[in-house]
Amino acid sequence: MSKTNAAPAPASRQQATRAVFLAKGALAGGVLATGVLWLGGRTGRAAQAPSRAQDERIFNFALGLEYLQAGFYAHAVEQGALSGELLEFAKTVGEQEREHVAYLRDRLGTAAREEPELDFGDLGADADRFARAAFVLEESGVAAYIGQGANLTVEAVRAAAPIVAVEARHAAWISDLVGRVPAPRAADAAGTAAQVQAALEAAGFTYPG
Amino acid sequence: MGEPAKTPEVIIPTLERVDRDGALLEALDAAVGRTRAEFLRRAAMGSAALLGALAAPATAAGAPPGKKRDTAILNYGLAFEYLQAGFYTEAEQLGTIREMSQEQALWARTLGAHERAHVRILKKVLGRSAVGKPSFNYRGVTEDPDHFTQTAVAMEDLTVALLLGQAPRISDRGIRAALFSLLTVEARHAAWARHIIGVRPIGPALDRPKTLQGVDRVVRSTHFIVSRPRTSRSASPRFTG
């Protein structure tokens, strides 16, 4: 796995509050964080040479995340604990994640992993828990795609880019809903597969491995 | 300034109208070829046509893959980051941001800081190959909070489309990957801006490139272009944003 900079989405130990934005953090953190990814060398340290086979592995990893997202949002809507904009988020974004699942399955063809059995425990039982979990989920998705960017072939980059942009929009929306700055950094951080899985587990998810 | 009478609808400028010194045209030309550049400059900034055209996979126009094309594309990106940074900076300087609510002002200032950071990042990567800071005319849009915000939505979407279309054309995969981390931020900006103006923060499930067919051209009759100083390569421009 390529070594990448910085941690991905914060784990659930960070309490999301309903307070309006943290003014200092938004500006200070943004500017300072920019240098890291870009000054770390052009091709990155130990970024793995792209190949079709590797694209497949990476897309299946991404597909796992999309299954998790699609499944969680559908589950949460069923639980009936959501209302207002949070419900709208779960419904609309859930639908989009299902489209992402279809898109990645289509690209992977017979190599696509099967839909896993998922158990969300009580993560969707109430609005606050849902929102915090969804935040980690979306931020993990963004970090994961960025983390794998250098390992993809050009064709895979072209295929992945439309999803990546939309995941970032999702992340911005849910950030707003949990009272966080929708765009906290000038350049988003990358996450390795291991980091992403750890963040998900800390939030109470099990990445379908 | 020769502006038409105000209508209830916000008139979002075309790139051509803000491109005071032709810097955007030059950058676009080098990256995507003159014909496409001309088209792109005339389409309304927020229009589906422009977004589709920007995001669409490149044709044979422009240089073959390699460092020269990478440079052209990154300079194209830099020109757009200058466009955005200047937009937010001007609104700050004119006091327009001060007129906004606390929440909206935070949004505007954060995005301005990010865009200025993006300028610095791209300049650093490009080194001596970086284009100089262009001169833009924002057509009064930076003077009014509502016009400003609506135009910002268009501009952020534009930058997302641009990065989507161009990132795959970069031959250096480290840079290609790093552009992902700017792409996601611009997409966050766009979603945040929409939330600010009270519309749903997301669009379609996939920011998919469209074809150039069936486009809708909005041609503005007047634009203001000043001939560009030739010193851009030798001097390191001081960015005062």
Side-chain angles (χ1 to χ4, degrees):
Chain A
M1 259 320 148
S2 81
K3 268 190 81 179
T4 51
N5 299 305
S12 61
R13 65 179 178 275
Q14 292 199 27
Q15 283 297 318
T17 67
R18 294 265 169 209
V20 186
F21 314 107
L22 308 167
K24 274 192 178 166
L27 298 180
V31 174
L32 289 175
T34 57
V36 181
L37 199 60
W38 286 84
L39 298 179
R42 292 199 162 197
T43 50
R45 295 181 296 280
Q48 306 197 312
S51 69
R52 275 305 164 63
Q54 182 161 264
D55 282 350
E56 225 170 67
R57 282 195 296 276
I58 292 170
F59 273 24
N60 263 322
F61 174 68
L63 180 54
L65 287 174
E66 299 290 348
Y67 278 134
L68 196 56
Q69 290 174 330
F72 182 55
Y73 296 140
H75 166 82
V77 170
E78 266 171 55
Q79 294 293 102
L82 306 180
S83 63
E85 200 176 339
L86 213 48
L87 178 60
E88 195 198 339
F89 173 87
K91 281 183 173 171
T92 347
V93 173
E95 204 176 292
Q96 296 202 333
E97 307 301 9
R98 278 192 289 283
E99 277 198 57
H100 292 176
V101 165
Y103 179 81
L104 288 172
R105 286 185 64 111
D106 186 57
R107 293 214 54 97
L108 284 160
T110 52
R113 56 180 302 176
E114 283 312 308
E115 177 147 17
E117 284 284 323
L118 296 167
D119 176 10
F120 299 107
D122 58 3
L123 280 179
D126 65 66
D128 276 350
R129 240 178 305 188
F130 166 78
R132 283 199 298 272
F135 170 76
V136 174
L137 209 42
E138 293 298 340
E139 292 289 344
S140 297
V142 173
Y145 280 110
I146 293 173
Q148 295 308 318
N151 299 328
L152 295 171
T153 62
V154 170
E155 296 77 34
V157 165
R158 188 168 284 127
I163 293 188
V164 180
V166 174
E167 291 295 321
R169 293 178 196 263
H170 295 171
W173 191 5
I174 190 67
S175 293
D176 222 331
L177 293 174
V178 297
R180 286 169 172 265
V181 178
R185 287 168 229 91
D188 270 332
T192 61
Q195 286 169 328
V196 164
Q197 283 176 237
L200 290 171
E201 267 160 45
F205 290 106
T206 312
Y207 175 80
Chain B
M1 208 152 45
E3 291 287 336
K6 278 221 165 136
T7 63
E9 205 180 289
V10 173
I11 299 169
I12 296 176
T14 58
L15 291 175
E16 188 177 45
R17 294 198 74 230
V18 300
D19 193 14
R20 192 206 296 259
D21 59 4
L24 278 179
L25 175 62
E26 223 176 281
L28 283 170
D29 185 6
V32 302
R34 174 60 63 139
T35 312
R36 193 150 162 185
E38 286 286 0
F39 161 72
L40 290 174
R41 284 174 75 244
R42 294 209 175 95
M45 215 190 292
S47 72
L50 179 55
L51 298 183
L54 279 173
T59 57
K67 184 147 204 264
K68 191 164 175 215
R69 188 168 88 175
D70 284 4
T71 300
I73 292 169
L74 289 173
N75 268 322
Y76 171 48
L78 178 55
F80 271 84
E81 296 294 353
Y82 269 127
L83 175 72
Q84 290 190 282
F87 181 67
Y88 290 98
T89 300
E90 190 170 289
E92 180 76 70
Q93 288 169 343
L94 292 175
T96 309
I97 296 183
R98 256 197 312 280
E99 291 175 49
M100 297 174 178
S101 69
Q102 193 188 12
E103 185 188 339
Q104 201 169 344
L106 175 72
W107 160 76
R109 290 188 170 121
T110 305
L111 265 59
H114 288 179
E115 306 305 358
R116 288 187 289 271
H118 291 176
V119 165
R120 282 196 294 275
I121 289 171
L122 289 172
K123 275 175 67 177
K124 194 151 204 136
V125 172
L126 284 157
R128 303 175 127 264
S129 305
V131 293
K133 180 185 173 187
S135 175
F136 297 114
N137 178 350
Y138 297 104
R139 306 286 161 185
V141 173
T142 48
E143 290 166 26
D144 171 72
D146 289 336
H147 286 194
F148 173 83
T149 308
Q150 290 203 38
T151 303
V153 172
M155 242 190 235
E156 297 292 347
D157 274 343
L158 187 69
T159 312
V160 172
L162 178 168
L163 286 168
L164 269 181
Q166 298 303 311
R169 298 180 76 219
I170 296 272
S171 59
D172 180 318
R173 69 183 166 103
I175 294 179
R176 205 162 62 217
L179 285 178
F180 263 21
S181 70
L182 294 192
L183 169 66
T184 55
V185 173
E186 301 291 357
R188 287 179 188 263
H189 287 178
W192 190 0
R194 283 204 168 76
H195 213 229
I196 292 276
I197 64 175
V199 305
R200 183 187 282 180
I202 60 178
L206 293 156
D207 269 304
R208 230 194 269 263
K210 299 181 187 70
T211 65
L212 289 175
Q213 262 72 40
V215 293
D216 129 70
R217 289 182 187 223
V218 177
V219 181
R220 296 288 175 164
S221 56
T222 62
H223 56 268
F224 187 70
I225 294 180
V226 171
S227 68
R228 190 149 178 241
R230 288 273 149 232
T231 55
S232 55
R233 296 275 157 119
S234 45
S236 170
R238 285 184 61 234
F239 186 77
T240 55

